[in-house]
Amino acid sequence: TIEDLAEQKVLKPLEALHQRTWVLHWSLFVYLNPQCQNSDMDGLLDLFLGEKYLQAISTHAPHLLRYLTSAILLSKRRKNAMSSGSSDRGYRAKIPEGNKLMKDLLKIMRECGTIETTSLSTTPATTDPIVQLIECLLVKFDFDAAQEKLIECEAVLQTDYFLCIQSQSFMEEARIQIFEHYCRIHHKIEVKTLAEKLAMDTSRAEKWIVDLIRSSTLLNAKIENECVVMGFAGSDKVSVYEQVMEKTKDL
């Protein structure tokens, strides 16, 4: 393997870095092959999130963040459901795995320089709308910009060889992210306003929201007078102590 050759000094560090970069690119044909019915998102995440492969992404291939971001977004709800199921039997609920992956993604984006570190910057750190969508949502909390990036994402996904088959799933998960984050800030929102943020017409958005509320175990919401009254079930289960410990554990 590359690691064995690097350890035996057969490959110089820079050569090993180049080889890992090639592995990352070729792995897209394995994990995101559009000819296969099921993409292996977990396999892609295991490879891309390896320490030495993250180094290759940050130094040689920041454009691969598109695929890492997509894999995390497409896996987030499933991993949260799995981790919440396992934590129900424990004394203390742990951070859902999908949420942790999203936090790790933001850290990786900063290390790659794809997130603007100063408000004085006049040019975006990246032009990839998939990466920019996450930045708009989780860093800038700019929902108008996120709406624009969502529309751009749909166009980009349709022309991306590896992600075209995931286009519909990606758009669904992206809309759920926008919906959840917007409703955490605004607890009562007009359906028309949400439809604009989700890049959908009003009637379609209302049906989508109703279906989401019915199918989700994490949402506590209802529609009345053409408004969504929103709450998150279980949001009061995490104590202030646990929140402080979580925010300060890396200090």
Side-chain angles (χ1 to χ4, degrees), residues 5 7 39-40 50 73 78 88 111-113 124 175 242:
L5 293 174
E7 186 175 346
S39 299
D40 186 2
L73 189 61
R78 175 174 56 82
D88 285 343
E111 291 175 351
C112 292
R175 286 188 172 110
E242 290 175 325

mmCIF file of all heavy atoms in Angstrom, residues 5 7 39-40 50 73 78 88 111-113 124 175 242:
data_model
loop_
_atom_site.group_PDB
_atom_site.id
_atom_site.type_symbol
_atom_site.label_atom_id
_atom_site.label_comp_id
_atom_site.label_asym_id
_atom_site.label_seq_id
_atom_site.Cartn_x
_atom_site.Cartn_y
_atom_site.Cartn_z
ATOM 1 N N LEU A 5 4.717 1.723 1.584
ATOM 2 C CA LEU A 5 5.829 2.217 0.775
ATOM 3 C C LEU A 5 6.406 3.506 1.362
ATOM 4 O O LEU A 5 7.619 3.733 1.330
ATOM 5 C CB LEU A 5 5.363 2.460 -0.662
ATOM 6 C CG LEU A 5 4.979 1.209 -1.464
ATOM 7 C CD1 LEU A 5 4.391 1.607 -2.820
ATOM 8 C CD2 LEU A 5 6.187 0.298 -1.646
ATOM 9 N N GLU A 7 6.288 4.322 4.560
ATOM 10 C CA GLU A 7 6.957 3.975 5.812
ATOM 11 C C GLU A 7 8.327 3.347 5.554
ATOM 12 O O GLU A 7 9.276 3.545 6.309
ATOM 13 C CB GLU A 7 6.080 3.011 6.609
ATOM 14 C CG GLU A 7 6.610 2.696 7.994
ATOM 15 C CD GLU A 7 5.658 1.832 8.798
ATOM 16 O OE1 GLU A 7 4.486 1.707 8.394
ATOM 17 O OE2 GLU A 7 6.094 1.288 9.831
ATOM 18 N N SER A 39 -24.750 4.079 -4.356
ATOM 19 C CA SER A 39 -23.434 4.661 -4.106
ATOM 20 C C SER A 39 -22.996 4.323 -2.683
ATOM 21 O O SER A 39 -23.817 4.238 -1.770
ATOM 22 C CB SER A 39 -23.492 6.177 -4.293
ATOM 23 O OG SER A 39 -23.862 6.505 -5.614
ATOM 24 N N ASP A 40 -21.706 4.128 -2.499
ATOM 25 C CA ASP A 40 -21.159 3.785 -1.185
ATOM 26 C C ASP A 40 -20.657 5.058 -0.499
ATOM 27 O O ASP A 40 -19.459 5.349 -0.508
ATOM 28 C CB ASP A 40 -20.028 2.764 -1.350
ATOM 29 C CG ASP A 40 -19.505 2.257 -0.012
ATOM 30 O OD1 ASP A 40 -20.053 2.665 1.033
ATOM 31 O OD2 ASP A 40 -18.544 1.466 -0.023
ATOM 32 N N GLY A 50 -9.865 10.230 6.268
ATOM 33 C CA GLY A 50 -8.593 9.787 6.833
ATOM 34 C C GLY A 50 -7.624 10.961 6.921
ATOM 35 O O GLY A 50 -7.576 11.815 6.028
ATOM 36 N N LEU A 73 -23.735 15.486 3.411
ATOM 37 C CA LEU A 73 -25.117 15.963 3.357
ATOM 38 C C LEU A 73 -26.081 14.810 3.078
ATOM 39 O O LEU A 73 -27.143 14.710 3.702
ATOM 40 C CB LEU A 73 -25.257 17.040 2.289
ATOM 41 C CG LEU A 73 -26.598 17.794 2.255
ATOM 42 C CD1 LEU A 73 -26.834 18.531 3.564
ATOM 43 C CD2 LEU A 73 -26.622 18.777 1.093
ATOM 44 N N ARG A 78 -29.459 9.932 7.929
ATOM 45 C CA ARG A 78 -29.385 8.492 8.213
ATOM 46 C C ARG A 78 -28.458 8.231 9.398
ATOM 47 O O ARG A 78 -28.782 7.431 10.284
ATOM 48 C CB ARG A 78 -28.877 7.753 6.979
ATOM 49 C CG ARG A 78 -28.642 6.262 7.191
ATOM 50 C CD ARG A 78 -28.286 5.571 5.896
ATOM 51 N NE ARG A 78 -27.140 6.169 5.259
ATOM 52 C CZ ARG A 78 -25.876 5.883 5.607
ATOM 53 N NH1 ARG A 78 -25.627 5.027 6.584
ATOM 54 N NH2 ARG A 78 -24.862 6.444 4.963
ATOM 55 N N ASP A 88 -30.453 6.025 22.757
ATOM 56 C CA ASP A 88 -31.656 5.933 23.575
ATOM 57 C C ASP A 88 -31.436 5.028 24.782
ATOM 58 O O ASP A 88 -32.076 5.192 25.819
ATOM 59 C CB ASP A 88 -32.827 5.391 22.739
ATOM 60 C CG ASP A 88 -33.363 6.445 21.781
ATOM 61 O OD1 ASP A 88 -33.057 7.631 22.014
ATOM 62 O OD2 ASP A 88 -34.062 6.083 20.819
ATOM 63 N N GLU A 111 -9.605 24.746 6.916
ATOM 64 C CA GLU A 111 -8.220 24.348 6.678
ATOM 65 C C GLU A 111 -7.866 24.418 5.189
ATOM 66 O O GLU A 111 -6.725 24.712 4.826
ATOM 67 C CB GLU A 111 -7.995 22.932 7.211
ATOM 68 C CG GLU A 111 -8.050 22.843 8.733
ATOM 69 C CD GLU A 111 -7.945 21.423 9.234
ATOM 70 O OE1 GLU A 111 -7.994 20.498 8.390
ATOM 71 O OE2 GLU A 111 -7.820 21.228 10.461
ATOM 72 N N CYS A 112 -8.872 24.150 4.338
ATOM 73 C CA CYS A 112 -8.647 24.209 2.888
ATOM 74 C C CYS A 112 -8.728 25.630 2.350
ATOM 75 O O CYS A 112 -8.430 25.876 1.177
ATOM 76 C CB CYS A 112 -9.661 23.330 2.158
ATOM 77 S SG CYS A 112 -9.445 21.565 2.441
ATOM 78 N N GLY A 113 -9.168 26.573 3.199
ATOM 79 C CA GLY A 113 -9.280 27.958 2.765
ATOM 80 C C GLY A 113 -10.486 28.225 1.884
ATOM 81 O O GLY A 113 -10.516 29.231 1.166
ATOM 82 N N PRO A 124 -15.197 35.402 -3.357
ATOM 83 C CA PRO A 124 -15.461 34.173 -2.608
ATOM 84 C C PRO A 124 -14.241 33.267 -2.576
ATOM 85 O O PRO A 124 -13.442 33.226 -3.514
ATOM 86 C CB PRO A 124 -16.611 33.531 -3.404
ATOM 87 C CG PRO A 124 -16.489 34.093 -4.785
ATOM 88 C CD PRO A 124 -15.977 35.491 -4.602
ATOM 89 N N ARG A 175 -32.730 20.966 0.959
ATOM 90 C CA ARG A 175 -33.934 21.702 1.365
ATOM 91 C C ARG A 175 -34.272 21.443 2.831
ATOM 92 O O ARG A 175 -34.710 22.349 3.546
ATOM 93 C CB ARG A 175 -35.113 21.306 0.467
ATOM 94 C CG ARG A 175 -35.037 21.899 -0.932
ATOM 95 C CD ARG A 175 -36.302 21.645 -1.729
ATOM 96 N NE ARG A 175 -36.277 22.385 -2.984
ATOM 97 C CZ ARG A 175 -36.151 21.833 -4.186
ATOM 98 N NH1 ARG A 175 -36.035 20.507 -4.299
ATOM 99 N NH2 ARG A 175 -36.133 22.582 -5.278
ATOM 100 N N GLU A 242 -24.290 20.295 29.482
ATOM 101 C CA GLU A 242 -23.836 19.506 28.347
ATOM 102 C C GLU A 242 -23.490 20.391 27.156
ATOM 103 O O GLU A 242 -22.533 20.125 26.432
ATOM 104 C CB GLU A 242 -24.907 18.483 27.958
ATOM 105 C CG GLU A 242 -25.066 17.366 28.978
ATOM 106 C CD GLU A 242 -26.218 16.440 28.638
ATOM 107 O OE1 GLU A 242 -27.239 16.926 28.102
ATOM 108 O OE2 GLU A 242 -26.109 15.237 28.897
#
